[in-house]
Amino acid sequence: MGTNPPTKRSNTMTPINQSPLVMLRLTQVVQRTGLSRSTIYSKLDQNSTHYDSTFPKQVRLGRGSAVRFIEAEVNAWLEQCVYSSRAVSTTVPQSLMVQSALVAGRCGQ
């Protein structure tokens, strides 16, 4: 009746899904979103009036200055922008219209 020894935990991250992680350069994010570089940096800057907590965060690669954005997060943000811009109608409850308007403001509308 011995107990099993504890298993050693790995320090490597296990992917949530099996699809490959695609990283985008800033120039690619500019192309996909239609936003300028300065607007993207403003959306990332917590001290900016244009700060958007829902905008995808940069991923630093190594110790240098190289950063990338995760494609799936950029796509999800864009989809939310489309959804929020089309969700405002007379059939949407007032609370959702306010929330949608806030998100739409974050999406550059």
Side-chain angles (χ1 to χ4, degrees):
M1 288 200 170
T3 59
N4 292 336
T7 58
K8 184 177 178 183
R9 294 184 73 155
S10 172
N11 288 335
T12 59
M13 295 176 56
T14 304
I16 294 173
N17 59 23
Q18 297 302 317
S19 61
L21 187 64
V22 178
M23 306 294 278
L24 301 175
R25 294 175 178 263
L26 177 61
T27 55
Q28 293 171 299
V29 177
V30 167
Q31 290 173 337
R32 287 189 183 206
T33 63
L35 301 173
S36 68
R37 290 170 52 107
S38 60
T39 299
I40 289 172
Y41 284 126
S42 290
K43 288 185 175 296
L44 294 170
D45 181 3
Q46 292 181 357
N47 297 320
S48 171
T49 58
H50 297 88
Y51 174 67
D52 179 357
S53 62
T54 66
F55 195 80
K57 306 296 182 257
Q58 299 172 345
V59 176
R60 184 166 305 283
L61 303 177
R63 294 183 179 161
S65 60
V67 294
R68 299 292 185 269
F69 293 84
I70 299 173
E71 180 184 45
E73 293 177 359
V74 173
N75 290 342
W77 183 82
L78 287 169
E79 288 174 13
Q80 182 59 42
C81 289
V82 170
Y83 172 78
S84 66
S85 72
R86 295 182 179 171
V88 179
S89 72
T90 57
T91 60
V92 177
Q94 180 67 25
S95 61
L96 289 178
M97 289 183 7
V98 170
Q99 181 182 8
S100 180
L102 290 173
V103 173
R106 292 182 188 139
C107 294
Q109 300 172 353

